[in-house]
Amino acid sequence: MHTPTRRQFLAGATLSVAALAGCSSSESTSTPAGPLEGLELAGDTVASGFRAPVDVAAPSAGGYFVADQFGTLTHVKSAGASPSATADLTDRMAEPGGEKGLLGIAFHPEYDGSGRLYVRYSAPLRERMPSNHPSLAKRRTT
C-alpha cells in the first residue's frame, strides 16, 4: 500500500488551501431584500413551569410536546391549557446537566395513527461496558 511522503502531503495541502482561497469573495454578502423585508416576530407564553426545556415538537394532530432536560415529557394541548406529564424518564437517565439528560423528541412519520414518538436521552454507563470505551476513558482523566 502506498503511503504519501511528507513532501507529497504538504504539496497536496498547499494546493487545497490555494483552491479554497479562490472560492472566497472580498465582496460583502448580505441578505437580499425580498418577501421577508419588514418581517416582525413576536412571541407569547403558552405554557410555563418547566425546569430546563430543551425541545418542542408538534405532531399534526394538534398541541405540542415539551422535552425537559430533567426527564419529563409534557403534552400541552393548546395555549393556556394545563400541561400534562406524558412520560417520566428520570429513572432511565444519567444525571442531567450540561449535555446530559432528556435531549430531544421526534415523531414517527405516521404518529397520528401509530402514536409512536422517539426520545433522545443520556443513559448511565452500563456495568459490562468495555474498559476501553471512550466514555470511560474520559471519566478516568477528569
Side-chain angles (χ1 to χ4, degrees), residues 90-120:
T90 54
D91 62 336
R92 299 177 189 189
M93 295 184 343
E95 187 68 30
E99 294 185 16
K100 294 181 186 174
L102 177 56
L103 302 173
I105 52 177
F107 292 96
H108 187 277
E110 297 172 4
Y111 171 79
D112 293 337
S114 70
R116 282 191 170 180
L117 64 96
Y118 304 94
V119 294
R120 179 173 174 243

PDB file of all heavy atoms in Angstrom, residues 90-120:
ATOM      1  N   THR A  90     -36.825   9.849  34.275  1.00  0.00           N
ATOM      2  CA  THR A  90     -35.738  10.121  35.221  1.00  0.00           C
ATOM      3  C   THR A  90     -35.049   8.854  35.723  1.00  0.00           C
ATOM      4  O   THR A  90     -33.852   8.873  35.984  1.00  0.00           O
ATOM      5  CB  THR A  90     -36.240  10.942  36.424  1.00  0.00           C
ATOM      6  OG1 THR A  90     -37.361  10.281  37.011  1.00  0.00           O
ATOM      7  CG2 THR A  90     -36.650  12.336  35.993  1.00  0.00           C
ATOM      8  N   ASP A  91     -35.769   7.747  35.835  1.00  0.00           N
ATOM      9  CA  ASP A  91     -35.154   6.512  36.327  1.00  0.00           C
ATOM     10  C   ASP A  91     -34.281   5.825  35.277  1.00  0.00           C
ATOM     11  O   ASP A  91     -33.521   4.920  35.599  1.00  0.00           O
ATOM     12  CB  ASP A  91     -36.227   5.541  36.831  1.00  0.00           C
ATOM     13  CG  ASP A  91     -37.204   5.113  35.751  1.00  0.00           C
ATOM     14  OD1 ASP A  91     -37.370   5.874  34.754  1.00  0.00           O
ATOM     15  OD2 ASP A  91     -37.820   4.049  35.894  1.00  0.00           O
ATOM     16  N   ARG A  92     -34.342   6.245  34.027  1.00  0.00           N
ATOM     17  CA  ARG A  92     -33.565   5.623  32.956  1.00  0.00           C
ATOM     18  C   ARG A  92     -32.366   6.462  32.526  1.00  0.00           C
ATOM     19  O   ARG A  92     -31.573   6.037  31.710  1.00  0.00           O
ATOM     20  CB  ARG A  92     -34.437   5.429  31.714  1.00  0.00           C
ATOM     21  CG  ARG A  92     -35.607   4.549  31.953  1.00  0.00           C
ATOM     22  CD  ARG A  92     -36.440   4.464  30.722  1.00  0.00           C
ATOM     23  NE  ARG A  92     -37.682   3.774  31.039  1.00  0.00           N
ATOM     24  CZ  ARG A  92     -38.535   3.392  30.154  1.00  0.00           C
ATOM     25  NH1 ARG A  92     -38.313   3.617  28.877  1.00  0.00           N
ATOM     26  NH2 ARG A  92     -39.635   2.785  30.505  1.00  0.00           N
ATOM     27  N   MET A  93     -32.266   7.684  33.033  1.00  0.00           N
ATOM     28  CA  MET A  93     -31.283   8.630  32.523  1.00  0.00           C
ATOM     29  C   MET A  93     -30.054   8.744  33.401  1.00  0.00           C
ATOM     30  O   MET A  93     -30.084   8.447  34.583  1.00  0.00           O
ATOM     31  CB  MET A  93     -31.902  10.038  32.443  1.00  0.00           C
ATOM     32  CG  MET A  93     -33.016  10.155  31.476  1.00  0.00           C
ATOM     33  SD  MET A  93     -33.639  11.832  31.308  1.00  0.00           S
ATOM     34  CE  MET A  93     -33.049  12.703  32.694  1.00  0.00           C
ATOM     35  N   ALA A  94     -28.987   9.244  32.767  1.00  0.00           N
ATOM     36  CA  ALA A  94     -27.806   9.668  33.516  1.00  0.00           C
ATOM     37  C   ALA A  94     -28.165  10.977  34.211  1.00  0.00           C
ATOM     38  O   ALA A  94     -29.167  11.616  33.871  1.00  0.00           O
ATOM     39  CB  ALA A  94     -26.630   9.880  32.561  1.00  0.00           C
ATOM     40  N   GLU A  95     -27.385  11.362  35.170  1.00  0.00           N
ATOM     41  CA  GLU A  95     -27.620  12.616  35.887  1.00  0.00           C
ATOM     42  C   GLU A  95     -27.689  13.773  34.882  1.00  0.00           C
ATOM     43  O   GLU A  95     -26.757  13.994  34.123  1.00  0.00           O
ATOM     44  CB  GLU A  95     -26.488  12.855  36.889  1.00  0.00           C
ATOM     45  CG  GLU A  95     -26.707  14.027  37.801  1.00  0.00           C
ATOM     46  CD  GLU A  95     -27.837  13.822  38.794  1.00  0.00           C
ATOM     47  OE1 GLU A  95     -28.089  12.667  39.192  1.00  0.00           O
ATOM     48  OE2 GLU A  95     -28.483  14.815  39.149  1.00  0.00           O
ATOM     49  N   PRO A  96     -28.809  14.526  34.848  1.00  0.00           N
ATOM     50  CA  PRO A  96     -28.924  15.613  33.881  1.00  0.00           C
ATOM     51  C   PRO A  96     -27.991  16.778  34.191  1.00  0.00           C
ATOM     52  O   PRO A  96     -27.576  16.964  35.326  1.00  0.00           O
ATOM     53  CB  PRO A  96     -30.389  16.044  33.995  1.00  0.00           C
ATOM     54  CG  PRO A  96     -30.853  15.551  35.305  1.00  0.00           C
ATOM     55  CD  PRO A  96     -29.993  14.391  35.670  1.00  0.00           C
ATOM     56  N   GLY A  97     -27.691  17.518  33.163  1.00  0.00           N
ATOM     57  CA  GLY A  97     -26.831  18.690  33.291  1.00  0.00           C
ATOM     58  C   GLY A  97     -25.848  18.718  32.142  1.00  0.00           C
ATOM     59  O   GLY A  97     -25.483  17.684  31.599  1.00  0.00           O
ATOM     60  N   GLY A  98     -25.435  19.906  31.758  1.00  0.00           N
ATOM     61  CA  GLY A  98     -24.534  20.023  30.616  1.00  0.00           C
ATOM     62  C   GLY A  98     -25.219  19.471  29.378  1.00  0.00           C
ATOM     63  O   GLY A  98     -26.278  19.941  28.991  1.00  0.00           O
ATOM     64  N   GLU A  99     -24.640  18.448  28.787  1.00  0.00           N
ATOM     65  CA  GLU A  99     -25.226  17.823  27.599  1.00  0.00           C
ATOM     66  C   GLU A  99     -25.783  16.448  27.922  1.00  0.00           C
ATOM     67  O   GLU A  99     -25.788  15.546  27.090  1.00  0.00           O
ATOM     68  CB  GLU A  99     -24.185  17.744  26.483  1.00  0.00           C
ATOM     69  CG  GLU A  99     -23.776  19.108  25.991  1.00  0.00           C
ATOM     70  CD  GLU A  99     -22.830  19.049  24.816  1.00  0.00           C
ATOM     71  OE1 GLU A  99     -22.713  17.992  24.183  1.00  0.00           O
ATOM     72  OE2 GLU A  99     -22.208  20.075  24.540  1.00  0.00           O
ATOM     73  N   LYS A 100     -26.264  16.278  29.138  1.00  0.00           N
ATOM     74  CA  LYS A 100     -26.859  15.013  29.555  1.00  0.00           C
ATOM     75  C   LYS A 100     -28.297  15.251  29.984  1.00  0.00           C
ATOM     76  O   LYS A 100     -28.660  16.326  30.414  1.00  0.00           O
ATOM     77  CB  LYS A 100     -26.085  14.420  30.737  1.00  0.00           C
ATOM     78  CG  LYS A 100     -24.681  14.009  30.406  1.00  0.00           C
ATOM     79  CD  LYS A 100     -24.038  13.429  31.640  1.00  0.00           C
ATOM     80  CE  LYS A 100     -22.590  13.123  31.415  1.00  0.00           C
ATOM     81  NZ  LYS A 100     -21.941  12.708  32.649  1.00  0.00           N
ATOM     82  N   GLY A 101     -29.091  14.194  29.892  1.00  0.00           N
ATOM     83  CA  GLY A 101     -30.488  14.266  30.286  1.00  0.00           C
ATOM     84  C   GLY A 101     -31.380  13.924  29.109  1.00  0.00           C
ATOM     85  O   GLY A 101     -30.960  13.297  28.141  1.00  0.00           O
ATOM     86  N   LEU A 102     -32.637  14.354  29.184  1.00  0.00           N
ATOM     87  CA  LEU A 102     -33.560  14.201  28.065  1.00  0.00           C
ATOM     88  C   LEU A 102     -33.233  15.314  27.085  1.00  0.00           C
ATOM     89  O   LEU A 102     -33.319  16.494  27.418  1.00  0.00           O
ATOM     90  CB  LEU A 102     -35.010  14.314  28.554  1.00  0.00           C
ATOM     91  CG  LEU A 102     -36.109  14.244  27.508  1.00  0.00           C
ATOM     92  CD1 LEU A 102     -36.025  12.978  26.670  1.00  0.00           C
ATOM     93  CD2 LEU A 102     -37.468  14.326  28.185  1.00  0.00           C
ATOM     94  N   LEU A 103     -32.808  14.961  25.882  1.00  0.00           N
ATOM     95  CA  LEU A 103     -32.255  15.945  24.952  1.00  0.00           C
ATOM     96  C   LEU A 103     -33.114  16.238  23.734  1.00  0.00           C
ATOM     97  O   LEU A 103     -32.913  17.247  23.075  1.00  0.00           O
ATOM     98  CB  LEU A 103     -30.864  15.490  24.504  1.00  0.00           C
ATOM     99  CG  LEU A 103     -29.872  15.273  25.646  1.00  0.00           C
ATOM    100  CD1 LEU A 103     -28.590  14.667  25.119  1.00  0.00           C
ATOM    101  CD2 LEU A 103     -29.612  16.555  26.383  1.00  0.00           C
ATOM    102  N   GLY A 104     -34.052  15.373  23.396  1.00  0.00           N
ATOM    103  CA  GLY A 104     -34.845  15.656  22.214  1.00  0.00           C
ATOM    104  C   GLY A 104     -35.958  14.655  21.999  1.00  0.00           C
ATOM    105  O   GLY A 104     -35.969  13.579  22.589  1.00  0.00           O
ATOM    106  N   ILE A 105     -36.898  15.050  21.146  1.00  0.00           N
ATOM    107  CA  ILE A 105     -38.024  14.199  20.782  1.00  0.00           C
ATOM    108  C   ILE A 105     -38.281  14.323  19.286  1.00  0.00           C
ATOM    109  O   ILE A 105     -37.964  15.344  18.673  1.00  0.00           O
ATOM    110  CB  ILE A 105     -39.308  14.559  21.565  1.00  0.00           C
ATOM    111  CG1 ILE A 105     -39.615  16.059  21.439  1.00  0.00           C
ATOM    112  CG2 ILE A 105     -39.216  14.160  22.999  1.00  0.00           C
ATOM    113  CD1 ILE A 105     -40.895  16.492  22.125  1.00  0.00           C
ATOM    114  N   ALA A 106     -38.819  13.275  18.706  1.00  0.00           N
ATOM    115  CA  ALA A 106     -39.191  13.275  17.290  1.00  0.00           C
ATOM    116  C   ALA A 106     -40.390  12.351  17.125  1.00  0.00           C
ATOM    117  O   ALA A 106     -40.497  11.341  17.818  1.00  0.00           O
ATOM    118  CB  ALA A 106     -38.032  12.793  16.426  1.00  0.00           C
ATOM    119  N   PHE A 107     -41.260  12.703  16.211  1.00  0.00           N
ATOM    120  CA  PHE A 107     -42.453  11.912  15.972  1.00  0.00           C
ATOM    121  C   PHE A 107     -42.256  10.975  14.792  1.00  0.00           C
ATOM    122  O   PHE A 107     -41.616  11.325  13.813  1.00  0.00           O
ATOM    123  CB  PHE A 107     -43.652  12.819  15.695  1.00  0.00           C
ATOM    124  CG  PHE A 107     -44.059  13.605  16.897  1.00  0.00           C
ATOM    125  CD1 PHE A 107     -43.620  14.894  17.072  1.00  0.00           C
ATOM    126  CD2 PHE A 107     -44.849  13.030  17.872  1.00  0.00           C
ATOM    127  CE1 PHE A 107     -43.965  15.614  18.192  1.00  0.00           C
ATOM    128  CE2 PHE A 107     -45.203  13.738  18.995  1.00  0.00           C
ATOM    129  CZ  PHE A 107     -44.757  15.039  19.161  1.00  0.00           C
ATOM    130  N   HIS A 108     -42.826   9.796  14.923  1.00  0.00           N
ATOM    131  CA  HIS A 108     -42.866   8.846  13.824  1.00  0.00           C
ATOM    132  C   HIS A 108     -43.645   9.507  12.688  1.00  0.00           C
ATOM    133  O   HIS A 108     -44.596  10.259  12.940  1.00  0.00           O
ATOM    134  CB  HIS A 108     -43.573   7.568  14.292  1.00  0.00           C
ATOM    135  CG  HIS A 108     -43.536   6.463  13.291  1.00  0.00           C
ATOM    136  ND1 HIS A 108     -44.431   6.384  12.253  1.00  0.00           N
ATOM    137  CD2 HIS A 108     -42.709   5.396  13.171  1.00  0.00           C
ATOM    138  CE1 HIS A 108     -44.169   5.310  11.533  1.00  0.00           C
ATOM    139  NE2 HIS A 108     -43.136   4.695  12.066  1.00  0.00           N
ATOM    140  N   PRO A 109     -43.272   9.259  11.423  1.00  0.00           N
ATOM    141  CA  PRO A 109     -43.994   9.884  10.302  1.00  0.00           C
ATOM    142  C   PRO A 109     -45.503   9.611  10.323  1.00  0.00           C
ATOM    143  O   PRO A 109     -46.287  10.411   9.846  1.00  0.00           O
ATOM    144  CB  PRO A 109     -43.346   9.276   9.065  1.00  0.00           C
ATOM    145  CG  PRO A 109     -41.988   8.859   9.512  1.00  0.00           C
ATOM    146  CD  PRO A 109     -42.129   8.483  10.962  1.00  0.00           C
ATOM    147  N   GLU A 110     -45.900   8.488  10.891  1.00  0.00           N
ATOM    148  CA  GLU A 110     -47.330   8.154  10.982  1.00  0.00           C
ATOM    149  C   GLU A 110     -47.794   8.227  12.435  1.00  0.00           C
ATOM    150  O   GLU A 110     -48.567   7.384  12.896  1.00  0.00           O
ATOM    151  CB  GLU A 110     -47.569   6.768  10.397  1.00  0.00           C
ATOM    152  CG  GLU A 110     -47.240   6.698   8.920  1.00  0.00           C
ATOM    153  CD  GLU A 110     -47.284   5.278   8.371  1.00  0.00           C
ATOM    154  OE1 GLU A 110     -47.649   4.338   9.109  1.00  0.00           O
ATOM    155  OE2 GLU A 110     -46.941   5.115   7.187  1.00  0.00           O
ATOM    156  N   TYR A 111     -47.321   9.252  13.155  1.00  0.00           N
ATOM    157  CA  TYR A 111     -47.637   9.390  14.584  1.00  0.00           C
ATOM    158  C   TYR A 111     -49.140   9.380  14.841  1.00  0.00           C
ATOM    159  O   TYR A 111     -49.612   8.751  15.788  1.00  0.00           O
ATOM    160  CB  TYR A 111     -47.031  10.686  15.140  1.00  0.00           C
ATOM    161  CG  TYR A 111     -47.496  10.990  16.540  1.00  0.00           C
ATOM    162  CD1 TYR A 111     -46.926  10.335  17.629  1.00  0.00           C
ATOM    163  CD2 TYR A 111     -48.523  11.895  16.779  1.00  0.00           C
ATOM    164  CE1 TYR A 111     -47.362  10.585  18.915  1.00  0.00           C
ATOM    165  CE2 TYR A 111     -48.965  12.148  18.053  1.00  0.00           C
ATOM    166  CZ  TYR A 111     -48.386  11.500  19.127  1.00  0.00           C
ATOM    167  OH  TYR A 111     -48.824  11.746  20.398  1.00  0.00           O
ATOM    168  N   ASP A 112     -49.911  10.080  14.020  1.00  0.00           N
ATOM    169  CA  ASP A 112     -51.350  10.182  14.250  1.00  0.00           C
ATOM    170  C   ASP A 112     -52.030   8.814  14.257  1.00  0.00           C
ATOM    171  O   ASP A 112     -53.022   8.624  14.948  1.00  0.00           O
ATOM    172  CB  ASP A 112     -51.996  11.088  13.206  1.00  0.00           C
ATOM    173  CG  ASP A 112     -51.543  12.531  13.350  1.00  0.00           C
ATOM    174  OD1 ASP A 112     -51.113  12.916  14.454  1.00  0.00           O
ATOM    175  OD2 ASP A 112     -51.606  13.265  12.347  1.00  0.00           O
ATOM    176  N   GLY A 113     -51.494   7.875  13.530  1.00  0.00           N
ATOM    177  CA  GLY A 113     -52.079   6.540  13.524  1.00  0.00           C
ATOM    178  C   GLY A 113     -51.403   5.588  14.499  1.00  0.00           C
ATOM    179  O   GLY A 113     -52.042   4.719  15.080  1.00  0.00           O
ATOM    180  N   SER A 114     -50.103   5.755  14.674  1.00  0.00           N
ATOM    181  CA  SER A 114     -49.358   4.803  15.496  1.00  0.00           C
ATOM    182  C   SER A 114     -49.155   5.273  16.932  1.00  0.00           C
ATOM    183  O   SER A 114     -48.969   4.469  17.831  1.00  0.00           O
ATOM    184  CB  SER A 114     -47.984   4.537  14.874  1.00  0.00           C
ATOM    185  OG  SER A 114     -47.163   5.692  14.989  1.00  0.00           O
ATOM    186  N   GLY A 115     -49.130   6.589  17.148  1.00  0.00           N
ATOM    187  CA  GLY A 115     -48.875   7.117  18.490  1.00  0.00           C
ATOM    188  C   GLY A 115     -47.419   7.000  18.901  1.00  0.00           C
ATOM    189  O   GLY A 115     -47.082   7.217  20.054  1.00  0.00           O
ATOM    190  N   ARG A 116     -46.535   6.669  17.961  1.00  0.00           N
ATOM    191  CA  ARG A 116     -45.121   6.485  18.286  1.00  0.00           C
ATOM    192  C   ARG A 116     -44.359   7.799  18.245  1.00  0.00           C
ATOM    193  O   ARG A 116     -44.515   8.590  17.324  1.00  0.00           O
ATOM    194  CB  ARG A 116     -44.455   5.545  17.301  1.00  0.00           C
ATOM    195  CG  ARG A 116     -44.738   4.128  17.552  1.00  0.00           C
ATOM    196  CD  ARG A 116     -43.840   3.289  16.702  1.00  0.00           C
ATOM    197  NE  ARG A 116     -43.979   1.921  17.138  1.00  0.00           N
ATOM    198  CZ  ARG A 116     -43.343   0.921  16.623  1.00  0.00           C
ATOM    199  NH1 ARG A 116     -42.494   1.130  15.652  1.00  0.00           N
ATOM    200  NH2 ARG A 116     -43.525  -0.285  17.069  1.00  0.00           N
ATOM    201  N   LEU A 117     -43.524   7.987  19.242  1.00  0.00           N
ATOM    202  CA  LEU A 117     -42.577   9.081  19.208  1.00  0.00           C
ATOM    203  C   LEU A 117     -41.270   8.572  19.774  1.00  0.00           C
ATOM    204  O   LEU A 117     -41.221   7.558  20.464  1.00  0.00           O
ATOM    205  CB  LEU A 117     -43.087  10.312  19.962  1.00  0.00           C
ATOM    206  CG  LEU A 117     -43.315  10.218  21.458  1.00  0.00           C
ATOM    207  CD1 LEU A 117     -42.107  10.733  22.204  1.00  0.00           C
ATOM    208  CD2 LEU A 117     -44.512  11.077  21.806  1.00  0.00           C
ATOM    209  N   TYR A 118     -40.199   9.247  19.442  1.00  0.00           N
ATOM    210  CA  TYR A 118     -38.867   8.815  19.829  1.00  0.00           C
ATOM    211  C   TYR A 118     -38.246   9.870  20.734  1.00  0.00           C
ATOM    212  O   TYR A 118     -38.454  11.063  20.539  1.00  0.00           O
ATOM    213  CB  TYR A 118     -37.994   8.614  18.586  1.00  0.00           C
ATOM    214  CG  TYR A 118     -38.616   7.648  17.615  1.00  0.00           C
ATOM    215  CD1 TYR A 118     -39.408   8.102  16.562  1.00  0.00           C
ATOM    216  CD2 TYR A 118     -38.434   6.274  17.761  1.00  0.00           C
ATOM    217  CE1 TYR A 118     -39.999   7.212  15.680  1.00  0.00           C
ATOM    218  CE2 TYR A 118     -39.016   5.392  16.876  1.00  0.00           C
ATOM    219  CZ  TYR A 118     -39.795   5.860  15.845  1.00  0.00           C
ATOM    220  OH  TYR A 118     -40.383   4.976  14.977  1.00  0.00           O
ATOM    221  N   VAL A 119     -37.513   9.408  21.736  1.00  0.00           N
ATOM    222  CA  VAL A 119     -36.832  10.327  22.644  1.00  0.00           C
ATOM    223  C   VAL A 119     -35.328  10.079  22.583  1.00  0.00           C
ATOM    224  O   VAL A 119     -34.882   8.957  22.352  1.00  0.00           O
ATOM    225  CB  VAL A 119     -37.329  10.185  24.101  1.00  0.00           C
ATOM    226  CG1 VAL A 119     -38.765  10.624  24.226  1.00  0.00           C
ATOM    227  CG2 VAL A 119     -37.157   8.775  24.620  1.00  0.00           C
ATOM    228  N   ARG A 120     -34.583  11.129  22.773  1.00  0.00           N
ATOM    229  CA  ARG A 120     -33.119  11.021  22.835  1.00  0.00           C
ATOM    230  C   ARG A 120     -32.715  11.439  24.238  1.00  0.00           C
ATOM    231  O   ARG A 120     -33.039  12.547  24.679  1.00  0.00           O
ATOM    232  CB  ARG A 120     -32.483  11.939  21.804  1.00  0.00           C
ATOM    233  CG  ARG A 120     -30.980  11.876  21.834  1.00  0.00           C
ATOM    234  CD  ARG A 120     -30.383  12.667  20.689  1.00  0.00           C
ATOM    235  NE  ARG A 120     -28.946  12.690  20.862  1.00  0.00           N
ATOM    236  CZ  ARG A 120     -28.248  13.785  21.058  1.00  0.00           C
ATOM    237  NH1 ARG A 120     -28.838  14.954  21.093  1.00  0.00           N
ATOM    238  NH2 ARG A 120     -26.955  13.735  21.216  1.00  0.00           N
TER     239      ARG A 120
END
